[in-house]
Amino acid sequence: MNNKEYIERGRFAPSPTGRMHLGNVFSALLSWLSIKAQGGKWVLRIEDIDPQRSRMEYADLIMGDLEWLGLTWDEGPFYQSERGEIYEAELQKLTARGLTYPCYCTRADILATQAPHESDGRVVYKGTCRNLKPGTHSGPAAVRMRVPEEGEGIVSFVDGHYGEQTVDLTTQCGDFIVRRKDGAWAYQLAVVVDDALMGITEVVRGRDLLLSSPQQIYLAKELGFAPPRFTHLPLLCNTEGQRLSKRDRSLDMEALRSRFEAEDIIGLLAYKAGLQESPNRVTAEELVAGFDWKKIGCEDIILVEN
């Protein structure tokens, strides 16, 4: 592909497990603005790989809310639930090289051996099933991706907003799941495969996913893919300092649309992000020309409801 044909490609990939809240909208807005400021295309992917929690009606609501906000997509929607054969083929490539193994551990088993490593409760798997002999166990098993031995799993990358990042996969992440025990595809595998095959060049998302990036970079390279650039953004938090979730019903799109116009919401988020000096009403399109990551702070943003 020559330079004249090259175009930046970003994506928004919500999980249809509930209505979008203001934090989801914040991520969507900055992702959309970043790629549009580069003259690129924005891809919509519905990450509905959790069969127990995903609902088509939520996917429809998400798409309706994005259109109402003026955050229209150029390609998609693509549904991960329809791409299982693609993930299976990529998983088999890893398995053929001895990079995966079955894991029979429950979360209770893992928690019994160690305390959570990260502030969000993340537990680093210590490889209990890594070297099990075939036939030792039976029954349902998850599939884990082997990370390199300690000292050999260092992954460094430059985040588009938070700068240089260095992570030791062995001590900070551990062998991670690529297929769940119930047969559902795990986030890490599905997102890496989809970003590569959809030609995504830039991933913009909340900083709570920062530690996923080195895992995805490692997995992409093992599959022969070039990883995208990662840019993480500060989180929107409630007055208690907790990141917004679907539990914050007063800030989900159903409640917000009953009280505000789209330009009010975009204006508030642009103000909170540092893209304008006051929370004046504005459309997403009007923000494109002045968009600059340098205007956006790194500290999480506390939202005061009113």
Side-chain angles (χ1 to χ4, degrees), residues 17-129:
T17 57
R19 195 80 180 257
M20 283 201 301
H21 57 70
L22 204 57
N24 303 135
V25 176
F26 188 56
S27 292
L29 175 63
L30 293 190
S31 171
W32 190 90
L33 288 173
S34 182
I35 207 67
K36 291 299 178 180
Q38 300 172 70
K41 292 185 178 295
W42 201 55
V43 178
L44 178 62
R45 186 170 72 226
I46 304 297
E47 298 198 336
D48 57 343
I49 50 175
D50 188 333
Q52 297 178 342
R53 300 175 62 218
S54 298
R55 299 287 184 271
M56 181 59 71
E57 56 263 36
Y58 289 136
D60 292 339
L61 285 169
I62 288 168
M63 289 186 280
D65 288 337
L66 289 173
E67 290 178 324
W68 181 78
L69 289 161
L71 303 178
T72 53
W73 53 95
D74 300 293
E75 295 180 20
F78 300 102
Y79 294 87
Q80 287 189 327
S81 60
E82 299 173 354
R83 298 172 61 80
E85 291 183 1
I86 298 172
Y87 307 144
E88 181 67 44
E90 297 301 327
L91 176 60
Q92 289 306 315
K93 293 178 185 178
L94 299 171
T95 300
R97 295 172 53 208
L99 292 174
T100 67
Y101 62 89
C103 175
Y104 300 90
C105 296
T106 65
R107 182 166 179 80
D109 293 334
I110 298 169
L111 288 173
T113 63
Q114 64 182 119
H117 177 72
E118 298 292 329
S119 60
D120 63 357
R122 186 188 301 269
V123 173
V124 177
Y125 184 65
K126 293 299 185 182
T128 304
C129 294

Side-chain angles (χ1 to χ4, degrees), residues 9 83 86-87 90 192-200 225:
R9 292 168 63 82
R83 298 172 61 80
I86 298 172
Y87 307 144
E90 297 301 327
V192 166
V193 172
D194 284 345
D195 283 346
L197 298 186
M198 294 177 186
I200 302 303
F225 299 138

Side-chain angles (χ1 to χ4, degrees), residues 259-281:
R259 299 168 58 198
F260 304 105
E261 297 297 324
E263 292 81 1
D264 297 319
I265 296 171
I266 298 296
L268 172 65
L269 292 177
Y271 169 65
K272 291 292 186 181
L275 297 176
Q276 59 177 11
E277 295 181 358
S278 62
N280 292 338
R281 289 165 51 92

Side-chain angles (χ1 to χ4, degrees), residues 237-243 302-303:
C237 297
N238 59 27
T239 52
E240 296 177 353
Q242 301 166 328
R243 69 184 177 94
I302 304 296
L303 275 182

Side-chain angles (χ1 to χ4, degrees), residues 123-142:
V123 173
V124 177
Y125 184 65
K126 293 299 185 182
T128 304
C129 294
R130 184 181 249 244
N131 298 310
L132 285 180
K133 294 181 180 179
T136 304
H137 285 267
S138 60

